[in-house]
């Protein structure tokens, strides 16, 4: 039989960009003006959209973009290890910092470790936002503010889409499904 591959569902990058913009808005409204962006070592496609949200937020608030404050990760070592090293190097440069927004919770957890090692307090000295709402973000010390991507809803919609295809049921679910993100503010940004 001639069976075509099912259309792919994906998490819309514009919502990811908007998630970072929402996190940036929280940091900026709390007075942060020296916000470092830390990427993720996985999913460069998603990370690029998240970085765009960071850069667009700075522009919309009239804050000059300093590319030295954009710390990109590579695939060699885990995000938490790389981000701890990168934030330590950034702090050693003496440049100001009062906020960090990360493309993943793992990157944010590494940043928390680097800040702690440098003797900085979170959120009093530096506020930190992650992305993914991983389990680790809810048990870190301090707990990590993060952006949730609704993976349960995404899975349910994908399963329904697949079921509709198998049973030849009329399908009202878009092939380019756009799901919302949630802001989960925890201790790393509350002060």
């Amino acid at each position: 039989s001639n069976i075509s591959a099912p259309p792919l569902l994906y998490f819309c990058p514009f919502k990811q960009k908007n998630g970072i913009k929402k996190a940036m808005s929280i940091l900026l409204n709390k007075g942060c003006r020296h916000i470092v962006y830390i990427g993720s070592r996985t999913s460069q496609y998603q990370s690029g959209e998240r970085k765009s949200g960071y850069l667009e937020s700075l522009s919309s608030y009239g804050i000059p973009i300093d590319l030295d404050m954009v710390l990109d990760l590579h695939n060699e070592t885990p995000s938490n290890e790389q981000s701890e090293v990168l934030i330590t190097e950034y702090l050693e440069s003496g440049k100001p910092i009062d906020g960090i927004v990360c493309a993943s919770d793992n990157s944010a957890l590494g940043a928390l470790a680097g800040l702690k090692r440098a003797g900085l307090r979170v959120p009093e000295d530096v506020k930190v936002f992650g992305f993914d709402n991983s389990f680790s973000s809810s048990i870190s010390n301090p707990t990590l503010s993060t952006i949730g991507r609704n993976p349960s809803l995404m899975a349910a919609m994908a399963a329904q889409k697949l079921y509709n295809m198998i049973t030849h049921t009329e399908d009202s679910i878009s092939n380019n499904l756009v799901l919302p993100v949630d802001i989960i503010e925890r201790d790393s940004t509350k002060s």
Side-chain angles (χ1 to χ4, degrees):
S1 90
N2 189 1
I3 299 175
S4 62
L8 295 176
L9 290 176
Y10 67 94
F11 187 75
C12 179
F14 299 106
K15 290 296 182 183
Q16 293 184 46
K17 185 188 293 187
N18 289 346
I20 291 291
K21 285 182 172 184
K22 287 178 182 181
M24 287 290 291
S25 179
I26 289 170
L27 295 177
L28 290 159
N29 288 331
K30 289 179 181 266
C32 296
R33 292 297 178 267
H34 306 285
I35 303 170
V36 169
Y37 172 84
I38 303 177
S40 175
R41 73 179 184 88
T42 58
S43 189
Q44 294 305 312
Y45 158 74
Q46 292 175 354
S47 184
E49 288 299 320
R50 295 172 191 181
K51 186 192 305 184
S52 292
Y54 164 79
L55 296 171
E56 288 175 20
S57 293
L58 292 176
S59 293
S60 69
Y61 276 79
I63 297 173
I65 293 171
D66 178 354
L67 293 179
D68 288 343
M69 298 178 85
V70 176
L71 309 179
D72 286 315
L73 305 187
H74 308 287
N75 287 328
E76 296 85 40
T77 57
S79 295
N80 57 341
E81 292 175 25
Q82 284 188 67
S83 63
E84 181 178 357
V85 168
L86 288 173
I87 205 64
T88 298
E89 290 171 354
Y90 182 85
L91 293 169
E92 288 172 353
S93 76
K95 290 189 175 207
I97 182 172
D98 55 13
I100 301 174
V101 65
C102 299
S104 73
D105 286 345
N106 283 337
S107 295
L109 294 170
L112 286 175
L115 293 168
K116 187 177 214 176
R117 191 164 37 138
L120 294 171
R121 301 166 301 152
V122 175
E124 295 86 349
D125 301 323
V126 181
K127 296 177 184 354
V128 181
F129 240 104
F131 199 116
D132 290 327
N133 193 27
S134 65
F135 175 71
S136 298
S137 68
S138 66
I139 62 169
S140 63
N141 185 15
T143 56
L144 182 62
S145 293
T146 187
I147 300 151
R149 297 187 298 156
N150 293 302
S152 298
L153 178 59
M154 194 181 328
M157 298 300 284
Q160 184 64 52
K161 182 92 174 156
L162 182 59
Y163 175 79
N164 292 347
M165 290 173 62
I166 292 169
T167 62
H168 303 289
T169 304
E170 187 174 330
D171 191 0
S172 62
I173 302 171
S174 169
N175 290 343
N176 297 319
L177 184 62
V178 177
L179 298 176
V181 294
D182 296 319
I183 297 294
I184 298 107
E185 191 169 7
R186 296 189 180 115
D187 294 339
S188 68
T189 57
K190 291 182 179 177
S191 58

